[in-house]
Amino acid sequence: QVQLVESGGGLVQPGGSLRLSCAASGSIISIYAMDWYRQAPGKRRELVARFSSSGSTNYADSVKGRFTISRDNAKNTVYLQMNSLKPEDTAVYYCSANLRSTMGRNDYWGQGTQVTVSL
């Protein structure tokens, strides 16, 4: 069984910073892409950042220059450093991993962590 567990969300003032973490555990053989998504109330879930198996990164236009995705393969963990946060960044943030486990290759999701940017 594979689990993704996020942490690091919370309440922050505009202009502040937060660092999200997502650790994958279980019967993992290999992890390919690891992503961060977010979903604001009444909106569709959107891809925020991707860290591919080749080491390349991609960002949504709305977060370029402010967010940084990184990955520690030894810990099966992906991070999202969020700087210069804006109220419109408020959302539930989810991590996702495309990985191969003893059950085959599948996409897995974490439970989500709330990020609220407000005075």
Side-chain angles (χ1 to χ4, degrees), residues 35-79:
D35 305 328
W36 284 99
Y37 286 77
R38 68 185 180 187
Q39 187 166 21
K43 294 188 176 181
R44 298 173 63 179
R45 189 173 297 189
E46 63 172 350
L47 178 64
V48 175
R50 168 163 290 166
F51 199 113
S52 73
S53 56
S54 67
S56 64
T57 58
N58 297 95
Y59 297 91
D61 288 342
S62 58
V63 307
K64 282 181 181 177
R66 300 188 298 121
F67 290 11
T68 302
I69 189 171
S70 60
R71 182 169 160 176
D72 185 334
N73 291 329
K75 296 182 179 180
N76 289 339
T77 299
V78 65
Y79 305 95

Side-chain angles (χ1 to χ4, degrees), residues 8-113:
L11 173 64
V12 63
Q13 292 186 353
S17 298
L18 281 175
R19 188 191 193 209
L20 305 183
S21 300
C22 172
S25 63
S27 52
I28 297 168
I29 297 172
S30 183
I31 301 179
Y32 304 103
M34 296 189 82
D35 305 328
W36 284 99
Y37 286 77
R38 68 185 180 187
Q39 187 166 21
K43 294 188 176 181
R44 298 173 63 179
R45 189 173 297 189
E46 63 172 350
L47 178 64
V48 175
R50 168 163 290 166
F51 199 113
S52 73
S53 56
S54 67
S56 64
T57 58
N58 297 95
Y59 297 91
D61 288 342
S62 58
V63 307
K64 282 181 181 177
R66 300 188 298 121
F67 290 11
T68 302
I69 189 171
S70 60
R71 182 169 160 176
D72 185 334
N73 291 329
K75 296 182 179 180
N76 289 339
T77 299
V78 65
Y79 305 95
L80 187 67
Q81 178 65 44
M82 305 185 294
N83 298 329
S84 302
L85 282 161
K86 304 175 181 180
E88 51 264 42
D89 295 317
T90 296
V92 178
Y93 284 70
Y94 299 90
C95 72
S96 174
N98 181 261
L99 59 85
R100 184 177 298 280
S101 71
T102 55
M103 300 297 290
R105 184 169 179 173
N106 287 289
D107 292 322
Y108 294 85
W109 292 84
Q111 80 287 355
T113 185

